Amino acid sequence: MAETLYPITLTVNGEAKEAQVEARMLLVHFIREQLGMTGTHIGCDTTNCGACTIILDGRPVKSCTIFAVQANGRAIRTVEGLEKDSVLHAVQNGFHQEHGLQCGFCTPGMIMTSVALLERNAAPTELEIRQAISGNLCRCTGYVNIVKAVQHASAAMREAKQPAAAGRA
Ligand code: FES
Ligand code: FES
């Protein structure tokens, strides 16, 4: 018997989307299979690894832990939405500059968690960074360069917010 489909509307990286989904469809499967946005990874689909982390209404969420229907009427951001006009987001650049990745599998989730952290806390301590990413597992890096990447991004974002006039006096 065919599954009942439910209509949902949501904002994805600033763009309005409408879709029909089965009640049991996980948000991560909706993002990857229906939207075709495969930057959000699946490492476990049991809420352990954090590879599927996206930002839902401003908060980092493991998208394998919620259903697509629960995103109805809400706004999600994925790693695809970070780059603007071919310029990397400061967090993406931080991971690049500080070698915050090796195989890259955990990276989209790490980056989305870090973006959400820096949006609520522009200057986190090392401990706060480590606490924020504690739900994101990395098998490769040992986390040291990931922490450096977030610190790099934090400094760059704060510098970018300095009034331009300050340097011209
Ligand atoms: Fe969602 Fe691992 S795929 S936590
Ligand atoms: Fe390989 Fe993190 S870079 S799992």
Side-chain angles (χ1 to χ4, degrees), residues 14-40:
E15 235 180 84
K17 301 269 184 197
E18 290 182 8
Q20 306 268 338
V21 296
E22 292 178 3
R24 63 181 176 162
M25 175 170 259
L26 296 175
L27 181 59
V28 69
H29 291 145
F30 171 72
I31 291 169
R32 289 177 56 87
E33 292 162 23
Q34 279 192 235
L35 299 180
M37 299 168 75
T38 53
T40 302

PDB file of all heavy atoms in Angstrom, residues 14-40:
ATOM      1  N   GLY A  14      17.680  29.988   2.862  1.00  0.00           N
ATOM      2  CA  GLY A  14      17.050  31.234   2.459  1.00  0.00           C
ATOM      3  C   GLY A  14      16.037  31.119   1.336  1.00  0.00           C
ATOM      4  O   GLY A  14      15.406  32.104   0.962  1.00  0.00           O
ATOM      5  N   GLU A  15      15.872  29.915   0.785  1.00  0.00           N
ATOM      6  CA  GLU A  15      14.950  29.730  -0.341  1.00  0.00           C
ATOM      7  C   GLU A  15      13.719  28.940   0.104  1.00  0.00           C
ATOM      8  O   GLU A  15      13.864  27.887   0.751  1.00  0.00           O
ATOM      9  CB  GLU A  15      15.655  28.869  -1.400  1.00  0.00           C
ATOM     10  CG  GLU A  15      15.708  29.495  -2.765  1.00  0.00           C
ATOM     11  CD  GLU A  15      16.429  28.573  -3.728  1.00  0.00           C
ATOM     12  OE1 GLU A  15      15.776  27.660  -4.266  1.00  0.00           O
ATOM     13  OE2 GLU A  15      17.657  28.745  -3.896  1.00  0.00           O
ATOM     14  N   ALA A  16      12.544  29.405  -0.257  1.00  0.00           N
ATOM     15  CA  ALA A  16      11.316  28.689   0.127  1.00  0.00           C
ATOM     16  C   ALA A  16      11.203  27.392  -0.683  1.00  0.00           C
ATOM     17  O   ALA A  16      11.456  27.379  -1.885  1.00  0.00           O
ATOM     18  CB  ALA A  16      10.111  29.575  -0.133  1.00  0.00           C
ATOM     19  N   LYS A  17      10.838  26.318  -0.007  1.00  0.00           N
ATOM     20  CA  LYS A  17      10.679  25.019  -0.676  1.00  0.00           C
ATOM     21  C   LYS A  17       9.357  24.405  -0.240  1.00  0.00           C
ATOM     22  O   LYS A  17       8.941  24.553   0.912  1.00  0.00           O
ATOM     23  CB  LYS A  17      11.792  24.041  -0.262  1.00  0.00           C
ATOM     24  CG  LYS A  17      13.181  24.507  -0.557  1.00  0.00           C
ATOM     25  CD  LYS A  17      13.630  24.047  -1.912  1.00  0.00           C
ATOM     26  CE  LYS A  17      15.082  24.446  -2.157  1.00  0.00           C
ATOM     27  NZ  LYS A  17      15.455  24.397  -3.550  1.00  0.00           N
ATOM     28  N   GLU A  18       8.755  23.683  -1.170  1.00  0.00           N
ATOM     29  CA  GLU A  18       7.545  22.910  -0.856  1.00  0.00           C
ATOM     30  C   GLU A  18       7.830  21.475  -1.249  1.00  0.00           C
ATOM     31  O   GLU A  18       8.502  21.229  -2.248  1.00  0.00           O
ATOM     32  CB  GLU A  18       6.364  23.401  -1.679  1.00  0.00           C
ATOM     33  CG  GLU A  18       5.876  24.763  -1.262  1.00  0.00           C
ATOM     34  CD  GLU A  18       4.664  25.206  -2.062  1.00  0.00           C
ATOM     35  OE1 GLU A  18       4.114  24.382  -2.832  1.00  0.00           O
ATOM     36  OE2 GLU A  18       4.282  26.365  -1.897  1.00  0.00           O
ATOM     37  N   ALA A  19       7.307  20.530  -0.473  1.00  0.00           N
ATOM     38  CA  ALA A  19       7.540  19.122  -0.808  1.00  0.00           C
ATOM     39  C   ALA A  19       6.444  18.261  -0.192  1.00  0.00           C
ATOM     40  O   ALA A  19       5.652  18.730   0.633  1.00  0.00           O
ATOM     41  CB  ALA A  19       8.907  18.696  -0.278  1.00  0.00           C
ATOM     42  N   GLN A  20       6.421  17.025  -0.645  1.00  0.00           N
ATOM     43  CA  GLN A  20       5.513  16.014  -0.093  1.00  0.00           C
ATOM     44  C   GLN A  20       6.399  14.917   0.477  1.00  0.00           C
ATOM     45  O   GLN A  20       7.267  14.404  -0.227  1.00  0.00           O
ATOM     46  CB  GLN A  20       4.679  15.379  -1.223  1.00  0.00           C
ATOM     47  CG  GLN A  20       3.925  16.367  -2.079  1.00  0.00           C
ATOM     48  CD  GLN A  20       2.528  16.602  -1.538  1.00  0.00           C
ATOM     49  OE1 GLN A  20       2.010  15.769  -0.810  1.00  0.00           O
ATOM     50  NE2 GLN A  20       1.957  17.722  -1.867  1.00  0.00           N
ATOM     51  N   VAL A  21       6.193  14.587   1.733  1.00  0.00           N
ATOM     52  CA  VAL A  21       7.076  13.590   2.360  1.00  0.00           C
ATOM     53  C   VAL A  21       6.266  12.545   3.129  1.00  0.00           C
ATOM     54  O   VAL A  21       5.173  12.823   3.637  1.00  0.00           O
ATOM     55  CB  VAL A  21       8.078  14.252   3.330  1.00  0.00           C
ATOM     56  CG1 VAL A  21       9.032  15.174   2.583  1.00  0.00           C
ATOM     57  CG2 VAL A  21       7.368  15.012   4.444  1.00  0.00           C
ATOM     58  N   GLU A  22       6.840  11.359   3.208  1.00  0.00           N
ATOM     59  CA  GLU A  22       6.263  10.338   4.077  1.00  0.00           C
ATOM     60  C   GLU A  22       6.504  10.749   5.528  1.00  0.00           C
ATOM     61  O   GLU A  22       7.534  11.362   5.843  1.00  0.00           O
ATOM     62  CB  GLU A  22       6.944   8.992   3.836  1.00  0.00           C
ATOM     63  CG  GLU A  22       6.651   8.405   2.471  1.00  0.00           C
ATOM     64  CD  GLU A  22       7.391   7.091   2.250  1.00  0.00           C
ATOM     65  OE1 GLU A  22       8.082   6.608   3.171  1.00  0.00           O
ATOM     66  OE2 GLU A  22       7.258   6.551   1.143  1.00  0.00           O
ATOM     67  N   ALA A  23       5.572  10.363   6.400  1.00  0.00           N
ATOM     68  CA  ALA A  23       5.683  10.750   7.813  1.00  0.00           C
ATOM     69  C   ALA A  23       6.975  10.227   8.434  1.00  0.00           C
ATOM     70  O   ALA A  23       7.531  10.833   9.345  1.00  0.00           O
ATOM     71  CB  ALA A  23       4.480  10.228   8.588  1.00  0.00           C
ATOM     72  N   ARG A  24       7.469   9.092   7.934  1.00  0.00           N
ATOM     73  CA  ARG A  24       8.645   8.475   8.569  1.00  0.00           C
ATOM     74  C   ARG A  24       9.969   8.953   7.969  1.00  0.00           C
ATOM     75  O   ARG A  24      11.028   8.469   8.379  1.00  0.00           O
ATOM     76  CB  ARG A  24       8.554   6.961   8.418  1.00  0.00           C
ATOM     77  CG  ARG A  24       8.590   6.535   6.973  1.00  0.00           C
ATOM     78  CD  ARG A  24       8.471   5.052   6.813  1.00  0.00           C
ATOM     79  NE  ARG A  24       8.415   4.708   5.400  1.00  0.00           N
ATOM     80  CZ  ARG A  24       8.650   3.510   4.925  1.00  0.00           C
ATOM     81  NH1 ARG A  24       8.927   2.527   5.757  1.00  0.00           N
ATOM     82  NH2 ARG A  24       8.583   3.279   3.641  1.00  0.00           N
ATOM     83  N   MET A  25       9.912   9.855   6.999  1.00  0.00           N
ATOM     84  CA  MET A  25      11.163  10.265   6.354  1.00  0.00           C
ATOM     85  C   MET A  25      11.997  11.148   7.291  1.00  0.00           C
ATOM     86  O   MET A  25      11.520  12.168   7.811  1.00  0.00           O
ATOM     87  CB  MET A  25      10.882  11.027   5.061  1.00  0.00           C
ATOM     88  CG  MET A  25      12.150  11.575   4.430  1.00  0.00           C
ATOM     89  SD  MET A  25      11.892  12.232   2.776  1.00  0.00           S
ATOM     90  CE  MET A  25      12.490  10.877   1.783  1.00  0.00           C
ATOM     91  N   LEU A  26      13.250  10.764   7.500  1.00  0.00           N
ATOM     92  CA  LEU A  26      14.141  11.577   8.331  1.00  0.00           C
ATOM     93  C   LEU A  26      14.532  12.840   7.582  1.00  0.00           C
ATOM     94  O   LEU A  26      14.648  12.841   6.342  1.00  0.00           O
ATOM     95  CB  LEU A  26      15.406  10.787   8.690  1.00  0.00           C
ATOM     96  CG  LEU A  26      15.201   9.541   9.556  1.00  0.00           C
ATOM     97  CD1 LEU A  26      16.533   8.801   9.733  1.00  0.00           C
ATOM     98  CD2 LEU A  26      14.626   9.907  10.919  1.00  0.00           C
ATOM     99  N   LEU A  27      14.769  13.896   8.343  1.00  0.00           N
ATOM    100  CA  LEU A  27      15.143  15.162   7.702  1.00  0.00           C
ATOM    101  C   LEU A  27      16.416  15.001   6.863  1.00  0.00           C
ATOM    102  O   LEU A  27      16.515  15.543   5.765  1.00  0.00           O
ATOM    103  CB  LEU A  27      15.324  16.257   8.773  1.00  0.00           C
ATOM    104  CG  LEU A  27      15.692  17.645   8.244  1.00  0.00           C
ATOM    105  CD1 LEU A  27      14.635  18.182   7.274  1.00  0.00           C
ATOM    106  CD2 LEU A  27      15.889  18.619   9.406  1.00  0.00           C
ATOM    107  N   VAL A  28      17.369  14.231   7.358  1.00  0.00           N
ATOM    108  CA  VAL A  28      18.617  14.066   6.601  1.00  0.00           C
ATOM    109  C   VAL A  28      18.357  13.378   5.248  1.00  0.00           C
ATOM    110  O   VAL A  28      18.969  13.731   4.238  1.00  0.00           O
ATOM    111  CB  VAL A  28      19.699  13.302   7.416  1.00  0.00           C
ATOM    112  CG1 VAL A  28      19.339  11.842   7.630  1.00  0.00           C
ATOM    113  CG2 VAL A  28      21.047  13.424   6.729  1.00  0.00           C
ATOM    114  N   HIS A  29      17.437  12.443   5.221  1.00  0.00           N
ATOM    115  CA  HIS A  29      17.119  11.784   3.947  1.00  0.00           C
ATOM    116  C   HIS A  29      16.389  12.739   3.012  1.00  0.00           C
ATOM    117  O   HIS A  29      16.613  12.728   1.794  1.00  0.00           O
ATOM    118  CB  HIS A  29      16.288  10.517   4.193  1.00  0.00           C
ATOM    119  CG  HIS A  29      17.081   9.427   4.865  1.00  0.00           C
ATOM    120  ND1 HIS A  29      16.533   8.548   5.780  1.00  0.00           N
ATOM    121  CD2 HIS A  29      18.392   9.107   4.780  1.00  0.00           C
ATOM    122  CE1 HIS A  29      17.479   7.723   6.203  1.00  0.00           C
ATOM    123  NE2 HIS A  29      18.615   8.041   5.612  1.00  0.00           N
ATOM    124  N   PHE A  30      15.530  13.575   3.585  1.00  0.00           N
ATOM    125  CA  PHE A  30      14.838  14.582   2.770  1.00  0.00           C
ATOM    126  C   PHE A  30      15.868  15.522   2.127  1.00  0.00           C
ATOM    127  O   PHE A  30      15.808  15.811   0.923  1.00  0.00           O
ATOM    128  CB  PHE A  30      13.856  15.364   3.652  1.00  0.00           C
ATOM    129  CG  PHE A  30      13.258  16.554   2.971  1.00  0.00           C
ATOM    130  CD1 PHE A  30      12.319  16.392   1.960  1.00  0.00           C
ATOM    131  CD2 PHE A  30      13.640  17.846   3.325  1.00  0.00           C
ATOM    132  CE1 PHE A  30      11.774  17.498   1.310  1.00  0.00           C
ATOM    133  CE2 PHE A  30      13.100  18.947   2.684  1.00  0.00           C
ATOM    134  CZ  PHE A  30      12.163  18.779   1.670  1.00  0.00           C
ATOM    135  N   ILE A  31      16.811  15.979   2.940  1.00  0.00           N
ATOM    136  CA  ILE A  31      17.822  16.929   2.438  1.00  0.00           C
ATOM    137  C   ILE A  31      18.648  16.281   1.318  1.00  0.00           C
ATOM    138  O   ILE A  31      18.859  16.868   0.257  1.00  0.00           O
ATOM    139  CB  ILE A  31      18.743  17.393   3.592  1.00  0.00           C
ATOM    140  CG1 ILE A  31      17.954  18.270   4.569  1.00  0.00           C
ATOM    141  CG2 ILE A  31      19.958  18.139   3.064  1.00  0.00           C
ATOM    142  CD1 ILE A  31      18.693  18.553   5.875  1.00  0.00           C
ATOM    143  N   ARG A  32      19.093  15.063   1.560  1.00  0.00           N
ATOM    144  CA  ARG A  32      19.985  14.418   0.601  1.00  0.00           C
ATOM    145  C   ARG A  32      19.246  13.881  -0.622  1.00  0.00           C
ATOM    146  O   ARG A  32      19.699  14.066  -1.756  1.00  0.00           O
ATOM    147  CB  ARG A  32      20.743  13.267   1.282  1.00  0.00           C
ATOM    148  CG  ARG A  32      21.795  13.753   2.286  1.00  0.00           C
ATOM    149  CD  ARG A  32      22.451  12.566   2.980  1.00  0.00           C
ATOM    150  NE  ARG A  32      23.023  11.644   2.022  1.00  0.00           N
ATOM    151  CZ  ARG A  32      24.237  11.733   1.518  1.00  0.00           C
ATOM    152  NH1 ARG A  32      25.039  12.713   1.889  1.00  0.00           N
ATOM    153  NH2 ARG A  32      24.679  10.849   0.648  1.00  0.00           N
ATOM    154  N   GLU A  33      18.098  13.224  -0.379  1.00  0.00           N
ATOM    155  CA  GLU A  33      17.447  12.515  -1.486  1.00  0.00           C
ATOM    156  C   GLU A  33      16.438  13.386  -2.230  1.00  0.00           C
ATOM    157  O   GLU A  33      16.371  13.334  -3.456  1.00  0.00           O
ATOM    158  CB  GLU A  33      16.772  11.257  -0.955  1.00  0.00           C
ATOM    159  CG  GLU A  33      17.806  10.239  -0.473  1.00  0.00           C
ATOM    160  CD  GLU A  33      17.226   9.189   0.449  1.00  0.00           C
ATOM    161  OE1 GLU A  33      16.002   8.955   0.400  1.00  0.00           O
ATOM    162  OE2 GLU A  33      18.004   8.618   1.235  1.00  0.00           O
ATOM    163  N   GLN A  34      15.636  14.177  -1.493  1.00  0.00           N
ATOM    164  CA  GLN A  34      14.632  14.978  -2.195  1.00  0.00           C
ATOM    165  C   GLN A  34      15.194  16.319  -2.656  1.00  0.00           C
ATOM    166  O   GLN A  34      14.861  16.792  -3.723  1.00  0.00           O
ATOM    167  CB  GLN A  34      13.370  15.156  -1.344  1.00  0.00           C
ATOM    168  CG  GLN A  34      12.499  13.916  -1.476  1.00  0.00           C
ATOM    169  CD  GLN A  34      11.094  14.073  -0.916  1.00  0.00           C
ATOM    170  OE1 GLN A  34      10.690  13.292  -0.077  1.00  0.00           O
ATOM    171  NE2 GLN A  34      10.347  15.063  -1.359  1.00  0.00           N
ATOM    172  N   LEU A  35      16.034  16.913  -1.833  1.00  0.00           N
ATOM    173  CA  LEU A  35      16.612  18.193  -2.251  1.00  0.00           C
ATOM    174  C   LEU A  35      17.901  17.993  -3.049  1.00  0.00           C
ATOM    175  O   LEU A  35      18.396  18.930  -3.668  1.00  0.00           O
ATOM    176  CB  LEU A  35      16.897  19.082  -1.030  1.00  0.00           C
ATOM    177  CG  LEU A  35      15.682  19.469  -0.180  1.00  0.00           C
ATOM    178  CD1 LEU A  35      16.118  20.345   0.994  1.00  0.00           C
ATOM    179  CD2 LEU A  35      14.626  20.185  -1.009  1.00  0.00           C
ATOM    180  N   GLY A  36      18.478  16.794  -2.978  1.00  0.00           N
ATOM    181  CA  GLY A  36      19.706  16.515  -3.730  1.00  0.00           C
ATOM    182  C   GLY A  36      20.922  17.234  -3.163  1.00  0.00           C
ATOM    183  O   GLY A  36      21.909  17.457  -3.865  1.00  0.00           O
ATOM    184  N   MET A  37      20.856  17.611  -1.891  1.00  0.00           N
ATOM    185  CA  MET A  37      21.973  18.334  -1.283  1.00  0.00           C
ATOM    186  C   MET A  37      22.764  17.353  -0.426  1.00  0.00           C
ATOM    187  O   MET A  37      22.416  17.097   0.732  1.00  0.00           O
ATOM    188  CB  MET A  37      21.413  19.509  -0.455  1.00  0.00           C
ATOM    189  CG  MET A  37      20.648  20.470  -1.345  1.00  0.00           C
ATOM    190  SD  MET A  37      19.681  21.661  -0.437  1.00  0.00           S
ATOM    191  CE  MET A  37      20.963  22.719   0.111  1.00  0.00           C
ATOM    192  N   THR A  38      23.822  16.843  -0.994  1.00  0.00           N
ATOM    193  CA  THR A  38      24.540  15.736  -0.350  1.00  0.00           C
ATOM    194  C   THR A  38      25.722  16.203   0.509  1.00  0.00           C
ATOM    195  O   THR A  38      26.512  15.384   0.974  1.00  0.00           O
ATOM    196  CB  THR A  38      25.022  14.728  -1.405  1.00  0.00           C
ATOM    197  OG1 THR A  38      25.764  15.451  -2.401  1.00  0.00           O
ATOM    198  CG2 THR A  38      23.860  14.014  -2.068  1.00  0.00           C
ATOM    199  N   GLY A  39      25.817  17.519   0.717  1.00  0.00           N
ATOM    200  CA  GLY A  39      26.858  18.019   1.622  1.00  0.00           C
ATOM    201  C   GLY A  39      26.614  17.589   3.053  1.00  0.00           C
ATOM    202  O   GLY A  39      27.547  17.478   3.843  1.00  0.00           O
ATOM    203  N   THR A  40      25.362  17.349   3.410  1.00  0.00           N
ATOM    204  CA  THR A  40      25.024  16.855   4.754  1.00  0.00           C
ATOM    205  C   THR A  40      25.236  15.344   4.750  1.00  0.00           C
ATOM    206  O   THR A  40      24.585  14.633   3.994  1.00  0.00           O
ATOM    207  CB  THR A  40      23.561  17.209   5.098  1.00  0.00           C
ATOM    208  OG1 THR A  40      23.405  18.629   5.007  1.00  0.00           O
ATOM    209  CG2 THR A  40      23.193  16.747   6.499  1.00  0.00           C
TER     210      THR A  40
END
